[in-house]
Amino acid sequence: MMSVQKAKHVSRQKATGAHFTPDKLAEVIAKRILDYFKGEKNRVIRVLDPACGDGELLLAINKVAQSMNIQLELIGVDFDIDAINIANERLSRSGHKNFRLINKDFLEMVSEGDNYDLFNIEELEPVDIIIANPPYVRTQILGAEKAQKLREKFNLKGRVDLYQAFLVAMTQQLKSNGIIGVITSNRYLTTKGGESTRKFLVSNFNILEIMDLGDTKFFEAAVLPAIFFGEKKNKEYQKENSNVPKFFKIYEQSDIEASSSVNSEFNSLIELLEVNKSGLYSVGDKTYSISLGKLISPENYKEPWILATEDEYEWFTKVNQNAYGFIEDFAHVKVGIKTTADSVFIRSDWGELPEEQIPEDKLLRPIISADQANKWSVSLVGNNKKVLYTHEIRDGQIKAINLEEFPRAKNYLESHKERLASRKYVLKANRNWYEIWVPHDPSLWDKPKIIFPDISPEPKFFYEDKGSVVDGNCYWIIPKKENSNDILFLIVGICNSKFMSKYHDIAFQNKLYAGRRRYLTQYVNKYPIPDPESIYSKEIISLVRELVNNKKETQDINEIENRIEKLILRAFDIESLKY
């Protein structure tokens, strides 16, 4: 029998976004599915894997079913004939007789009819259970034409990932009250782009459980996986669902404090998936944080799902109740500039160019990128990077500069015209070939602002008032009211706190590998803010101003930061950071 490791080398399957499921993980998924299945178990239960690959999931659910004395009819579909041949050999050697493997594209099969049956077209009989790890392929890899076809076939909206089409197609093929266990990216749980997926799942399923596998690296794919377990709703008989969806979340903890608070040790990562208590656990030299609790699905699908324990949810709710407002009430959060040709527009060696190509000083602005980000303030000493900024305010509007007024910049840009003019989307938008794609309002750069990196393992929000431009790997915050620096200092203090990191992790669930977080507009906008006029807020503002404007020893900085943490708790009337 070919091993899973060898099967992973089926080239066409991998090239299209498929990553085969490890055998032990497959058994964990299979066990949960069969435990959730409430249909009659004294008959043959029909199971489908619509992207079966080497057959690992089918083998796993058959193995678990045998231990539970349950009979299965297995159906596997895959367009890759090499994978089908491997699956056929493995299932045959397992001794299971009641299976059929189909070498076709499942999405094409289902789109031929609302309930295309995989055994007998005349029967149109859906399946009892679906277990799946569909390929994950994003829009830019799929190509615009295929993405559009998938949108039309499966009524998808926005940016399309292939697994979204599979979710719709699988739901069509599943019986009412049937059970699905499917591995996907975890992005739909919390991102703005996941709105349509969240809406689809809530509309079609009684959600049973979500397992967020975080940065455990069960798969070779760069995406972080999650497993969705759901019972398909019976549209004809809608009984009140009393089920509270469960969640299981696991992420690696790299800080020293975590490793000294381990609950117990395990021999393998897969064993942690059976843990039934939140806490810190170790496997070898790594420590993992496991959270179990309930899934909160806001009525507004634009809002991310919240995976919180009872204590976390109580803490989170109290913070929101005691908040005076949110950052979006006081300030604008924007992403940095997007040149779409950074090596042309951003350089540190402008002075080394031929004199006739050194852009005029008026057009060269200092630019701050993620690699310079730091808490509280940032030094521009040693940062020679400048951006050739191609926009200005003219007649009250953002306009591209007139190259004829800047002959040296014109010479430089024309030396790169072939590359810049190849940006078809710029020309299609009736823009000049030499423009920065997303420039923002030039009049705002000289105003005080907060800058922070898009991705970071810890918050790095800092105050800047030297007129720097913000690079596209960072975001920036400006107050809605003129001359309101105090609100900026309060926001910096709140954003850099351990308090807000706790809030962020509960509310947005968006940790990446190695504990890094995404700091996106949609998240930071929703950070709660205490009353800016309270005595606690005023002291926070004073302390942050001190951190921003003064050079202090590390010990002094730590003392001030600890003081700010205590003031934040008082400002929100929260007893501690613990739940």
Side-chain angles (χ1 to χ4, degrees), residues 325-333 480 524-527 529:
F326 297 87
I327 283 182
E328 64 185 357
D329 299 318
F330 300 96
H332 299 287
V333 182
K480 288 185 174 180
V524 176
N525 258 335
K526 296 297 183 182
Y527 279 11
I529 297 294

Side-chain angles (χ1 to χ4, degrees), residues 77-331:
V77 180
D78 205 293
F79 72 93
D80 188 331
I81 188 60
D82 293 332
I84 286 288
N85 289 337
I86 294 169
N88 184 67
E89 180 183 354
R90 300 182 76 201
L91 285 165
S92 297
R93 289 190 179 184
S94 74
H96 189 76
K97 305 295 183 183
N98 194 4
F99 72 89
R100 182 180 179 189
L101 301 176
I102 303 169
N103 181 212
K104 285 189 178 181
D105 185 329
F106 177 71
L107 296 181
E108 293 293 336
M109 294 175 71
V110 174
S111 64
E112 291 176 16
D114 288 340
N115 287 307
Y116 182 92
D117 180 68
L118 302 174
F119 267 126
N120 189 331
I121 296 176
E122 295 178 359
E123 292 178 7
L124 296 177
E125 182 185 350
V127 297
D128 301 292
I129 288 173
I130 290 179
I131 184 169
N133 178 13
Y136 178 86
V137 183
R138 300 179 70 175
T139 308
Q140 56 265 45
I141 300 173
L142 281 173
E145 185 178 347
K146 181 157 187 179
Q148 184 57 36
K149 285 181 179 178
L150 289 174
R151 286 191 192 95
E152 293 170 358
K153 282 182 180 179
F154 298 104
N155 194 29
L156 301 173
K157 295 180 180 178
R159 190 180 68 183
V160 175
D161 293 324
L162 196 58
Y163 80 85
Q164 294 172 298
F166 266 88
L167 281 175
V168 177
M170 288 186 293
T171 302
Q172 291 176 5
Q173 194 60 33
L174 185 63
K175 282 182 180 179
S176 292
N177 303 122
I179 302 296
I180 188 171
V182 57
I183 304 170
T184 70
S185 157
N186 70 0
R187 285 180 54 81
Y188 75 87
L189 298 173
T190 59
T191 64
K192 188 175 181 180
E195 176 188 348
S196 60
T197 301
R198 292 193 291 271
K199 182 177 181 179
F200 176 82
L201 292 175
V202 170
S203 300
N204 289 276
F205 291 94
N206 295 320
I207 301 172
L208 302 170
E209 183 179 6
I210 302 261
M211 295 183 72
D212 181 358
L213 300 184
D215 55 357
T216 49
K217 298 184 177 67
F218 276 111
F219 299 91
E220 295 177 0
V223 297
L224 276 63
I227 308 170
F228 174 87
F229 297 93
E231 176 190 42
K232 185 177 177 181
K233 290 180 177 178
N234 188 329
K235 297 296 178 70
E236 295 179 4
Y237 174 63
Q238 287 278 15
K239 65 177 180 179
E240 188 69 26
N241 180 31
S242 59
N243 170 67
V244 177
K246 297 188 297 183
F247 86 82
F248 176 102
K249 181 173 61 173
I250 177 170
Y251 279 83
E252 185 178 340
Q253 292 288 109
S254 56
D255 55 280
I256 297 174
E257 183 181 344
S259 63
S260 63
S261 306
V262 170
N263 289 33
S264 55
E265 299 179 4
F266 284 80
N267 294 320
S268 68
L269 189 56
I270 201 72
E271 292 179 45
L272 293 185
L273 302 187
E274 302 293 346
V275 165
N276 57 14
K277 182 180 178 182
S278 298
L280 295 170
Y281 300 87
S282 69
V283 176
D285 60 352
K286 292 187 177 180
T287 301
Y288 295 90
S289 171
I290 291 179
S291 298
L292 293 90
K294 63 182 180 180
L295 172 74
I296 294 95
S297 173
E299 291 184 9
N300 183 354
Y301 298 115
K302 293 182 184 296
E303 299 295 326
W305 284 351
I306 298 170
L307 281 63
T309 65
E310 293 285 351
D311 291 340
E312 286 173 341
Y313 185 65
E314 183 179 344
W315 186 91
F316 168 81
T317 302
K318 187 173 182 181
V319 170
N320 282 345
Q321 289 173 343
N322 294 347
Y324 185 82
F326 297 87
I327 283 182
E328 64 185 357
D329 299 318
F330 300 96

